[in-house]
Structures are given as structure tokens and as C-alpha cells.
């Protein structure tokens, strides 16, 4: 499972949770630089929205380092999804 990180599912997760569209990610990456590009796009989106990604880089995520992958998932869920509930006017 961890050796097949291509960024597609992570891009789709971020799109679903954030409601933003990540245009330009490669939906069928076949080469390493395409996979890195997908993950790099996620990291850039997080930095643009002032969400810290300390110690995370696309190479370690694409390589399947479990701590990096889980760290990225945690950042996306914690910072993006929970922030929506904190900013929700319905609370």
C-alpha cells in the first residue's frame, strides 16, 4: 500500500475536504516526477493557506515513508477539515 503513493488520492482528498479544485494535477501519473508534482501541489496549497507542513517533502511521501504519509494526512484532516467547522456560522 505505502509503495504506491502517486498523489492522486491525496489530491482528491484535499479537494473533497477543502472544497477547492486542484486543477493541473496528473490523474494518471506514470513517472516519478509526475507523482512528485502531484504531492508538491498539495504541499504548495497547504503553504498558500498558511498551514504548516514542517518536515514534509514530496520525495519522502512518494517514496512511501509511513511517517511522512501519515503526517500529511493528519495535517490535511486536522487543519483543513476541522478549520471548516471552527469557521462555520452554523455552530
Amino acid at each position: 500500500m505505502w509503495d504506491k503513493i502517486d498523489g492522486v488520492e491525496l489530491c482528491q482528498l484535499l479537494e473533497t475536504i477543502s472544497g477547492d479544485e486542484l486543477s493541473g494535477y496528473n490523474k494518471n501519473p506514470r513517472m516519478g516526477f509526475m507523482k512528485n508534482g502531484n504531492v508538491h501541489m498539495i504541499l504548495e496549497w497547504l503553504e498558500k493557506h498558511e498551514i504548516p507542513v514542517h518536515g514534509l517533502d514530496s520525495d519522502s511521501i512518494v517514496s512511501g515513508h509511513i511517517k511522512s504519509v501519515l503526517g500529511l494526512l493528519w495535517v490535511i484532516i486536522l487543519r483543513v477539515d476541522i478549520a471548516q467547522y471552527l469557521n462555520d456560522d452554523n455552530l
Side-chain angles (χ1 to χ4, degrees):
M1 174 176 160
W2 298 109
D3 60 341
K4 298 182 181 182
I5 305 296
D6 59 11
V8 174
E9 291 85 2
L10 293 171
C11 286
Q12 292 169 346
L13 173 67
L14 185 58
E15 285 181 329
T16 301
I17 290 177
S18 70
D20 290 351
E21 183 178 343
L22 295 177
S23 61
Y25 74 91
N26 193 317
K27 292 182 170 94
N28 191 21
R30 297 176 191 263
M31 302 177 79
F33 73 91
M34 295 174 178
K35 297 173 183 181
N36 273 342
N38 285 348
V39 175
H40 186 70
M41 183 179 297
I42 294 167
L43 296 175
E44 283 183 343
W45 186 94
L46 293 169
E47 288 176 0
K48 179 179 140 189
H49 289 84
E50 299 178 1
I51 298 171
V53 290
H54 306 294
L56 296 177
D57 65 275
S58 58
D59 290 330
S60 62
I61 294 167
V62 170
S63 297
H65 291 99
I66 191 153
K67 287 184 180 181
S68 296
V69 174
L70 292 176
L72 179 59
L73 288 171
W74 179 250
V75 166
I76 290 172
I77 293 169
L78 179 68
R79 301 292 181 153
V80 178
D81 193 40
I82 294 178
Q84 288 180 354
Y85 291 107
L86 294 176
N87 294 330
D88 192 359
D89 293 335
N90 296 328
L91 293 179

